[in-house]
């Protein structure tokens, strides 16, 4: 069966996702898993529908009545018509489930539906049959592929912020069955037909999930996501093994989800412990401990950490070592008790891991130095959270972990010149740190409260900076349009004036006044408009009117042209709000020029023409008709000067030779920019510039002592300008593509890594531990 029409493009399937915070982006490895899973599920669905016709036809053939047979035939028809929509709807649900994996819901308990005893009723038979069928299908998959599914869920939890279990896993059997039922909701079929379709779903889709889970796990292992997870069978409670086989507790509630989640946490931390044990002695040297030393409990460790937390220095120094401080407290406690006391192995691994994470964080070049001292003071509160809750290491949505990431993300654009005493961001982060040091004892809920509070603050900050950043982009785009219009006006002026010698007043009028009219016309209407062509025609007429012409018939054309041209000049300059005083001066001088032109024609006539009839050709040249007289009077031409019988030669106007190309400068611009050095298209620095994306944070080394952190806010294509703003959205730098390439080539610019700080630290620590394990 031809199924090309059923292709669902991945870009279309994800386009409906609502915009979320930067934290909401899925990791690349997870995107690859999603796309491969969608491809397999799509192929399985096509196989289902290809075989559905045959199955339903066989059922119709075995029907015992015409009504039953018609039921199956109608189902076949309905399934054919709605096949495409069902496939699309199912895959859309899969993509939507993946899209929400990195969206957070903080402090919001699951809503409880209002219950009215008046509305309670027994479950309908059809719904009960459907529910039993679904439970059976899911239980079979869990029984067969439970370990692989549990490992996949655990790896998902290590990469995303939303807490998952096997039930909510987007490719888990429960989710897939729900997606399929939802996609089939438009089918108008009886329960017996729906059960057949569900059986086909189990046969052609769910039966191949082992392959999907195996490939997904292998892809994530290849990407470095928890490769230490062992492929051992999932641990079960023997007393509940029979209930686990059906996926329910004895009270009927689901047991698989919670059990798998707990196993995932233990497996992740066990994998980390294995790495730490291999590296112990080199990366995390163990203190010499007596053979009869007693490990302290986690509660005692928490009390020691709280004691250290209350006495932590206000400014953490580079030589502060949490392990050394804790060792000193244990030594004093051992001396007082008369018995050697040490930290237990599990707690010691947590301490070593947190210490290594903070070593990376405090060495990170992306984190501004001003904030490193603040974040260093969070080491003890973070350690206490990790001792209490081991999901801290594998759950991206853990409030303590998110709070650390949000603080680092907000501080990314901090500049050295910012005032720590007045800046609201610094003061807010300092407040968060102080709250944790003062109030956090053993209840991690404070992290959720502070995270919610900080997200509200940073959200307001982002909105304010976003508005200013948008204004900056709009202003730059407007400047770019003005620059393009200025180039068009320059070209038009140079085409008409360059190389000519004209009265100085005309050159000045065109360059200083009419150029503004042309600019506004170009910006408002464009160079293809009638208005632009009319403005050019007025300029052409003005230039022609002041040039020397010897032909007698030119006088009549001049008489016809001047009134309309002067009127167009006045209206244009008025629309450009040109200085009225300067406008009056220009037109007074233009009037003198045109009067001289008319008188030049009168002086050039033969003397005997004065005695000839008014009807002769020569007499016609000297006569101004009533219509022309009215038009000239309307624009302010002194007719007495044109018709005076006494013609005296006036002084010749000052002339100007236009020998240099006219360059129009923007307001405040002193001179045109110097031409930049050209670079080959394949220059490595140019390729680095082309890889910059809008929103990237960079750091410019302005000189030996000063650095500038800024974000690429826009690339203005018409002018080729790269616009950079600070964290408040204000423009701080403007570069061309070549200028940026030069900065890259001399290593004066550095890209800032805007990935999540804690995640980068954990990835680095695990990578280092793996190297130690391999040596």
């Amino acid at each position: 069966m031809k199924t090309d029409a059923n292709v669902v493009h991945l870009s279309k399937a994800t386009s409906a996702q609502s915009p979320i915070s930067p934290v909401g982006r899925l990791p690349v490895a997870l995107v690859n898993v999603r796309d491969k899973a969608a491809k397999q599920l799509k192929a399985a669905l096509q196989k289902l529908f290809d075989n559905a016709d045959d199955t339903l036809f066989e059922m119709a053939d075995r029907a015992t009545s015409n009504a039953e047979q018609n039921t199956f035939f109608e189902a076949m028809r309905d399934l054919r018509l709605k096949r495409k929509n069902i496939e699309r709807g199912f895959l859309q649900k899969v993509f939507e489930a993946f899209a929400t994996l990195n969206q957070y819901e903080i402090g919001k308990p699951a809503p409880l539906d209002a219950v009215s005893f008046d509305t309670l009723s027994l479950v309908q038979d059809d719904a009960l049959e459907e529910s039993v069928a679904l439970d059976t299908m899911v239980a079979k998959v869990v029984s067969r592929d439970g370990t692989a599914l549990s490992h996949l869920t655990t790896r998902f939890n290590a990469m995303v912020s939303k807490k998952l279990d096997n039930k909510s896993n987007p490719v888990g059997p429960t989710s897939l069955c729900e997606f399929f039922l939802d996609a089939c909701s438009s089918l108008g079929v009886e329960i017996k037909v729906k059960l057949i379709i569900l059986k086909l779903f189990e046969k052609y889709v769910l039966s191949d999930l082992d392959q999907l889970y195996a490939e997904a796990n292998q892809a994530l292992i290849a990407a470095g996501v928890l490769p230490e997870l062992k492929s051992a069978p999932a641990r079960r409670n023997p007393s509940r093994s029979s209930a686990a086989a059906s996926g329910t507790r004895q009270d009927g509630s689901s047991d698989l989800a919670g059990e798998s989640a707990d196993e995932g946490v233990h497996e992740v931390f066990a994998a980390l412990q294995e790495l730490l044990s291999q590296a112990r002695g080199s990366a995390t040297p163990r203190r010499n401990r007596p053979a009869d030393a007693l490990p302290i409990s986690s509660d005692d460790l928490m009390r020691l950490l709280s004691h250290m937390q209350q006495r932590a220095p206000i400014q953490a120094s580079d030589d502060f070592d949490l392990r050394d401080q804790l060792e000193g407290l244990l030594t004093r406690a051992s001396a007082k008790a008369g018995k050697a006391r040490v930290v237990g192995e599990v707690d010691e691994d947590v301490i070593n891991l947190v210490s290594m994470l903070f070593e990376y964080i405090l060495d990170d070049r992306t984190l501004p130095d001003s904030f490193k001292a603040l974040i260093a003071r969070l080491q003890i509160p973070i350690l206490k959270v990790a001792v209490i809750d081991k999901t801290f290491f594998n759950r991206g949505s853990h409030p303590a972990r998110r709070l650390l990431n949000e603080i680092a993300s907000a501080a990314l654009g901090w500049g050295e010149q910012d005032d720590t005493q007045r800046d609201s961001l610094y003061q807010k982060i300092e407040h968060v740190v102080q709250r944790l040091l003062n109030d956090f004892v053993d209840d991690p809920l404070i992290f959720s409260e502070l995270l919610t509070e900080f997200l509200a603050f940073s959200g307001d900050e982002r909105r304010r900076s976003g508005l200013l950043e948008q204004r900056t982009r709009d202003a730059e785009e407007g400047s770019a349009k003005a620059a393009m219009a200025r180039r068009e006006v320059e070209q038009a002026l140079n085409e008409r004036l360059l190389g000519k010698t004209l009265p100085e007043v005309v050159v000045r009028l065109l360059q200083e006044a009419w150029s503004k009219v042309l600019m506004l016309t170009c910006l408002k209407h464009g160079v293809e408009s009638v208005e632009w062509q009319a403005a050019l025609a007025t300029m052409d007429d003005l230039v022609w009117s002041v040039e020397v012409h010897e032909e007698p018939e030119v006088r009549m054309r001049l008489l016809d042209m001047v009134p309309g041209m002067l009127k167009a000049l006045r209206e244009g300059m008025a629309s450009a709000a040109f200085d009225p005083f300067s406008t009056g001066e220009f037109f007074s001088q233009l009037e003198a020029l045109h009067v001289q032109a008319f008188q030049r024609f009168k002086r050039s006539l033969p003397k005997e023409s004065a005695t000839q009839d008014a009807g002769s050709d020569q007499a016609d040249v000297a006569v101004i008709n009533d219509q022309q007289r009215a038009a000239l009077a309307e624009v302010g031409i002194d007719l007495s000067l044109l018709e005076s019988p006494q013609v005296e030669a006036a002084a010749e106007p000052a002339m100007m030779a236009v020998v240099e190309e006219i360059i129009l400068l923007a307001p405040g611009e002193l001179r045109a920019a110097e031409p930049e050095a050209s670079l080959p298209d394949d220059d490595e620095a140019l390729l680095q510039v082309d890889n910059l994306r809008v929103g990237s944070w960079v750091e410019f080394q302005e000189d030996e002592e000063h650095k500038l952190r800024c974000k690429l806010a826009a690339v203005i294509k018409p002018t080729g300008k790269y616009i950079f703003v600070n964290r408040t959205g204000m423009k701080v730098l403007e570069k061309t593509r070549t200028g940026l390439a030069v900065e890259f080539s001399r290593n004066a610019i550095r890209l800032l890594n805007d990935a999540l700080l804690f995640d980068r630290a954990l990835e680095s620590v695990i990578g280092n531990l793996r190297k130690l394990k391999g040596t």
Side-chain angles (χ1 to χ4, degrees):
M1 182 180 295
K2 188 174 180 180
T3 57
D4 292 347
N6 299 323
V7 174
V8 176
H9 295 285
L10 303 186
S11 60
K12 290 183 179 179
T14 57
S15 62
Q17 179 185 355
S18 60
I20 52 178
S21 67
V23 185
R25 293 193 296 266
L26 289 179
V28 174
L30 195 54
V31 171
N32 292 335
V33 167
R34 178 199 66 187
D35 292 348
K36 288 180 180 178
K39 184 177 180 181
Q40 178 178 328
L41 292 170
K42 177 176 176 294
L45 273 184
Q46 290 178 346
K47 192 182 297 184
L48 181 159
F49 285 111
D50 289 346
N51 288 275
D53 264 5
D54 294 339
T55 302
L56 291 173
F57 187 84
E58 290 175 5
M59 299 296 295
D61 192 46
R62 286 182 293 199
T64 57
S65 67
N66 289 335
E68 186 179 7
Q69 189 176 64
N70 287 335
T71 297
F72 289 114
F73 283 138
E74 285 296 320
M76 289 171 58
R77 179 177 177 275
D78 200 19
L79 207 57
R80 286 175 192 158
L81 291 175
K82 296 175 181 176
R83 166 180 178 166
K84 183 177 178 181
N85 289 336
I86 293 173
E87 289 181 358
R88 184 186 295 113
F90 174 80
L91 292 177
Q92 181 70 27
K93 288 288 182 182
V94 173
F95 277 100
E96 287 175 356
F98 273 97
T100 59
L101 290 183
N102 261 356
Q103 296 184 15
Y104 304 106
E105 289 187 4
I106 304 168
K108 290 184 179 179
L112 298 176
D113 293 332
V115 176
S116 170
F117 291 98
D118 295 332
T119 60
L120 291 178
S121 62
L122 295 175
V123 178
Q124 296 295 321
D125 291 343
D126 288 359
L128 181 61
E129 285 190 58
E130 180 181 298
S131 177
V132 170
L134 288 175
D135 288 344
T136 304
M137 292 160 59
V138 171
K140 285 182 182 178
V141 175
V142 172
S143 176
R144 183 182 70 238
D145 308 319
T147 301
L149 175 60
S150 177
H151 286 182
L152 187 60
T153 302
T154 302
R155 290 190 168 95
F156 279 13
N157 277 320
M159 302 171 70
V160 302
S161 53
K162 188 175 183 179
K163 189 70 178 73
L164 294 178
D165 51 37
N166 288 348
K167 185 176 180 180
S168 58
N169 189 319
V171 290
T174 303
S175 296
L176 293 179
C177 288
E178 290 175 356
F179 299 160
F180 185 71
L181 272 181
D182 187 77
C184 293
S185 60
S186 62
L187 287 175
V189 295
E190 297 180 4
I191 184 62
K192 64 171 69 175
V193 177
K194 183 174 286 189
L195 293 177
I196 292 171
I197 295 173
L198 287 176
K199 198 68 180 175
L200 291 172
F201 184 75
E202 179 184 9
K203 179 179 180 180
Y204 293 105
V205 179
L206 298 185
S207 64
D208 291 333
L209 287 183
D210 56 343
Q211 178 187 351
L212 189 154
Y213 297 153
E215 291 178 357
N217 276 311
Q218 286 302 315
L220 294 180
I221 289 173
V225 182
L226 302 179
E228 295 79 17
L229 283 182
K230 299 291 187 292
S231 298
R235 290 173 288 181
R236 304 284 185 212
N237 188 331
S239 64
R240 292 186 293 177
S241 58
S242 59
S246 63
T248 58
R249 293 191 182 96
Q250 292 178 355
D251 62 0
S253 60
S254 175
D255 182 50
L256 297 171
E259 187 175 336
S260 299
D262 291 340
E263 290 172 9
V265 172
H266 291 299
E267 288 174 345
V268 171
F269 188 70
L272 291 172
Q273 276 192 293
E274 183 181 349
L275 288 174
L276 286 165
S277 65
Q278 293 291 332
R280 193 173 291 127
S282 54
T284 57
R286 189 189 280 264
R287 305 292 192 276
N288 294 325
R289 57 177 66 186
D292 60 345
L294 294 177
I296 63 173
S297 67
S298 294
D299 290 340
D300 288 337
L301 174 61
M302 289 291 291
R303 280 191 283 272
L304 288 176
L305 291 175
S306 294
H307 177 81
M308 293 172 59
Q309 176 178 309
Q310 294 300 322
R311 289 158 180 78
I314 296 177
Q315 293 293 333
S317 58
D318 293 339
D319 58 355
F320 177 83
D321 189 300
L322 185 148
R323 287 169 288 192
D324 288 339
Q325 297 290 325
L326 187 58
E327 188 73 19
L329 287 178
L330 282 173
T331 301
R332 290 200 294 272
S334 299
K336 183 179 293 187
K339 190 75 173 178
R341 305 302 301 272
V342 294
V343 175
E345 185 175 281
V346 173
D347 289 335
E348 184 183 8
D349 285 337
V350 173
I351 293 170
N352 287 332
L353 187 53
V354 170
S355 297
M356 286 187 284
L357 288 170
F358 270 83
E359 286 172 5
Y360 173 91
I361 288 171
L362 298 180
D363 285 338
D364 184 51
R365 294 178 63 193
T366 298
L367 187 65
D369 293 337
S370 302
F371 287 89
K372 287 182 179 179
L374 282 178
I375 291 179
R377 300 174 65 193
L378 291 176
Q379 187 170 358
I380 296 176
I382 292 294
L383 174 57
K384 290 169 68 176
V385 169
V387 170
I388 296 170
D389 184 4
K390 301 301 187 295
T391 64
F392 172 76
F393 294 109
N394 74 298
R395 185 157 63 96
S397 62
H398 194 289
R401 183 166 164 174
R402 280 202 63 203
L403 181 61
L404 192 59
N405 283 331
E406 291 292 341
I407 288 175
S409 297
L412 184 63
W414 175 271
E416 295 174 347
Q417 68 280 6
D418 294 338
D419 187 355
T420 58
Q421 299 303 316
R422 296 183 180 180
D423 188 85
S424 60
L425 173 63
Y426 188 91
Q427 295 297 318
K428 185 64 179 179
I429 294 175
E430 190 174 43
H431 165 75
V432 169
V433 172
Q434 203 58 48
R435 273 284 311 276
L436 287 172
L437 293 176
N438 293 339
D439 301 342
F440 175 44
V441 180
D442 56 7
D443 185 3
L445 184 62
I446 189 174
F447 282 92
S448 295
E449 296 172 358
L450 289 174
L451 174 60
T452 304
E453 181 183 319
F454 188 79
L455 285 174
F457 167 83
S458 59
D460 290 340
E461 291 279 297
R462 278 195 299 270
R463 279 189 290 274
R464 280 194 291 268
S465 64
L467 288 173
L468 185 53
E469 188 176 324
Q470 185 60 50
R471 292 194 192 105
T472 300
R473 279 194 294 267
D474 293 342
E476 290 300 324
E477 289 171 0
S479 297
K481 291 179 181 178
M484 296 299 293
R486 198 174 296 112
R487 301 291 87 80
E488 291 287 346
V489 174
E490 282 179 359
Q491 182 180 351
L493 289 174
N494 285 312
E495 285 178 355
R496 287 157 177 81
L497 302 182
L498 195 58
K500 292 185 177 181
T501 300
L502 297 170
E504 181 182 0
V505 62
V506 172
V507 176
R508 286 181 51 238
L509 184 147
L510 292 176
Q511 189 170 346
E512 297 174 14
W514 198 246
S515 62
K516 292 181 173 57
V517 178
L518 291 172
M519 273 278 294
L520 290 175
T521 305
C522 184
L523 289 171
K524 193 172 183 179
H525 303 288
V527 294
E528 302 296 331
S529 65
V530 174
E531 290 82 358
W532 171 259
Q533 298 301 323
L536 293 182
T538 299
M539 180 166 58
D540 291 335
D541 289 345
L542 176 60
V543 172
W544 181 87
S545 71
V546 297
E547 289 178 325
V548 177
H549 301 284
E550 300 297 338
E551 302 82 359
E553 63 273 11
V554 169
R555 182 172 185 269
M556 298 305 297
R557 179 184 172 187
L558 195 60
L559 287 170
D560 291 332
M561 174 196 296
V562 166
M565 178 193 66
L566 293 178
K567 184 178 180 182
L569 286 172
R570 287 185 186 277
E571 291 174 351
M573 293 169 73
S575 68
F578 195 72
D579 177 29
F581 179 78
S582 299
T583 300
E585 289 291 322
F586 278 130
F587 279 97
S588 296
Q589 296 179 57
L590 277 181
E591 179 185 2
L593 285 175
H594 291 136
V595 168
Q596 287 178 4
F598 287 122
Q599 290 179 340
R600 188 183 305 117
F601 282 112
K602 292 178 67 176
R603 289 196 301 271
S604 66
L605 291 174
K607 291 182 180 180
E608 57 272 15
S609 64
T611 62
Q612 298 209 0
D613 292 341
S616 69
D617 293 338
Q618 295 292 344
D620 288 342
V621 174
V623 173
I624 302 177
N625 61 39
D626 292 339
Q627 184 178 1
Q628 292 168 338
R629 180 178 286 105
L632 290 169
E634 184 181 352
V635 294
I637 297 292
D638 190 349
L639 299 177
S640 62
L641 294 176
L642 298 184
E643 298 176 329
S644 174
Q646 304 294 329
V647 179
E648 296 181 1
E652 289 295 326
M655 305 297 286
M656 174 185 288
V658 184
V659 294
E660 293 185 0
E661 186 175 354
I662 296 173
I663 297 177
L664 302 176
L665 301 180
E669 187 178 3
L670 299 178
R671 59 184 178 84
E674 294 289 337
E676 294 180 322
S678 61
L679 296 173
D681 292 338
D682 59 349
D683 187 87
E684 184 178 351
L686 283 176
L687 297 179
Q688 285 180 284
V689 175
D690 293 339
N691 287 332
L692 275 179
R693 58 178 175 82
V694 172
S696 298
W697 282 93
V698 297
E699 183 179 75
F700 285 91
Q701 186 75 46
E702 295 182 301
D703 53 44
E704 293 183 0
E705 297 182 355
H706 298 93
K707 298 175 181 177
L708 175 65
R709 288 193 171 197
C710 48
K711 180 175 70 172
L712 178 61
V715 180
I716 310 299
K717 292 184 178 179
T719 58
K721 290 181 180 179
Y722 287 69
I723 308 301
F724 294 88
V725 299
N726 61 15
R727 64 185 179 89
T728 66
M730 184 181 299
K731 177 182 174 182
V732 293
L733 197 65
E734 174 185 301
K735 290 282 185 181
T736 62
R737 180 169 177 259
T738 304
L740 275 176
V742 172
E743 298 287 351
F744 270 114
S745 63
R746 64 187 187 91
N747 295 322
I749 181 173
R750 180 171 65 89
L751 285 173
L752 298 178
N753 191 342
D754 59 357
L756 301 179
L757 177 64
F758 186 90
D759 299 63
R760 286 190 285 119
L762 186 59
E763 182 180 349
S764 175
V765 168
I766 291 175
N768 291 335
L769 291 175
R770 284 176 184 158
K771 289 179 183 177
L772 289 170
K773 181 179 178 180
T775 53

